[in-house]
Amino acid sequence: MARRYAIAGLNAVTPPKTCVCVSGATTVRPSIYYIAFGGDTSAVADLKGELLVQRHTAAGTFSAVTPEPLEIGDVASLATANTGKTHSAEPINAGTPVIQMGVHYSSVFQWYAQEGGELICPATPANGYHATLNSLTSGTTALFAATMQWQE
Amino acid sequence: MYLLKGPRKPKSIIVIDGKQTADMLCCVHCRKHWIVEPGSGKNRGFCMKCMGPTCGPSCQRCVPYEKMIEEIERAATFLPRN
């Protein structure tokens, strides 16, 4: 049975800013099956943002985070080197977004992949998928939080 | 004729505030996901080799998703000949 892991993070303030990214490694192809996206714990506001999930060929500059195994007894994730949150330098995108959705700040957006619909990261370092707050209601700044879960 | 409101076999689902809101199809070549909007005018396709929907003209040429992943991995490990 595949081992499952999760990371979560916020975007840096000014969009477009990547919230979280998951990248492969030479020994593993992470398969992303769940993404959640929504406003952070700040006061409720009438804001709209655009979520983009896109493949990248370079992971950019981010805050490192250790993926959390969803089962306590599991070993550490193999996809740790280029997996992180709150990017200060954006990943280098490849192709067009695979998920593009408008999201309201006060609502929680969740994406569940069915069998055959998972986003698979190549077994190549720094290649994977990231969730980005692409745009925001003009004249505002806000933090959106994203969560990604994948299996290895 | 009875028309379905969404795809018969969705590849992903969207849940907003705990309520399942939409089903999505995904391209068999690039794994782009989209909500099916009948009458939207968006130009989608169908690959007869992979037997699945495609996202548009950019994915008209049959390069299965697994093949694309393998090509990315092969390019990363390519060693030039001397």
Side-chain angles (χ1 to χ4, degrees):
Chain A
M1 185 175 168
R3 297 186 299 270
R4 296 175 297 154
Y5 303 89
I7 59 167
L10 303 172
N11 63 295
V13 178
T14 306
K17 284 298 181 191
T18 297
C19 299
V20 292
C21 75
V22 175
S23 303
T26 52
T27 52
V28 68
R29 285 182 180 177
S31 176
I32 299 167
Y33 63 89
Y34 172 78
I35 299 171
F37 194 73
D40 74 334
T41 56
S42 302
V44 173
D46 188 17
L47 301 174
K48 292 175 291 183
E50 184 186 36
L51 164 67
L52 288 184
V53 177
Q54 197 162 354
R55 191 168 65 83
H56 60 258
T57 53
T61 306
F62 50 84
S63 301
V65 60
T66 302
E68 190 68 31
L70 297 189
E71 289 192 38
I72 301 295
D74 276 343
V75 298
S77 169
L78 296 174
T80 54
N82 287 287
T83 295
K85 66 178 183 180
T86 317
H87 285 56
S88 54
E90 289 297 288
I92 296 177
N93 296 325
T96 55
V98 294
I99 297 172
Q100 186 170 6
M101 198 66 57
V103 181
H104 195 274
Y105 187 79
S106 299
S107 65
V108 177
F109 169 91
Q110 295 172 288
W111 176 85
Y112 294 86
Q114 308 296 298
E115 187 177 347
E118 300 92 343
L119 304 176
I120 302 173
C121 305
T124 303
N127 272 247
Y129 288 91
H130 57 277
T132 300
L133 174 64
N134 186 51
S135 63
L136 196 59
T137 306
S138 64
T140 59
T141 58
L143 296 180
F144 275 74
T147 298
M148 275 189 174
Q149 293 183 6
W150 70 93
Q151 54 190 21
E152 298 179 356
Chain B
M1 181 179 175
Y2 177 66
L3 296 177
L4 292 172
K5 290 184 181 178
R8 190 188 301 269
K9 294 180 181 178
K11 288 299 183 183
S12 60
I13 61 173
I14 293 175
V15 174
I16 296 179
D17 290 341
K19 182 180 176 184
Q20 185 171 340
T21 308
D23 296 337
M24 302 177 99
L25 286 177
C26 85
C27 177
V28 288
H29 295 162
C30 68
R31 286 280 166 103
K32 176 177 178 173
H33 290 253
W34 69 89
I35 297 172
V36 177
E37 296 173 81
S40 66
K42 289 188 173 72
N43 190 10
R44 309 294 185 193
F46 192 89
C47 179
M48 297 300 288
K49 292 181 183 178
C50 303
M51 290 307 288
T54 58
C55 60
S58 58
C59 282
Q60 200 170 10
R61 180 169 161 263
C62 181
V63 179
Y65 186 65
E66 272 284 339
K67 181 69 175 175
M68 183 188 80
I69 298 288
E70 289 176 5
E71 289 295 322
I72 293 169
E73 294 167 353
R74 185 174 296 124
T77 57
F78 173 72
L79 297 173
R81 280 181 275 179
N82 291 332

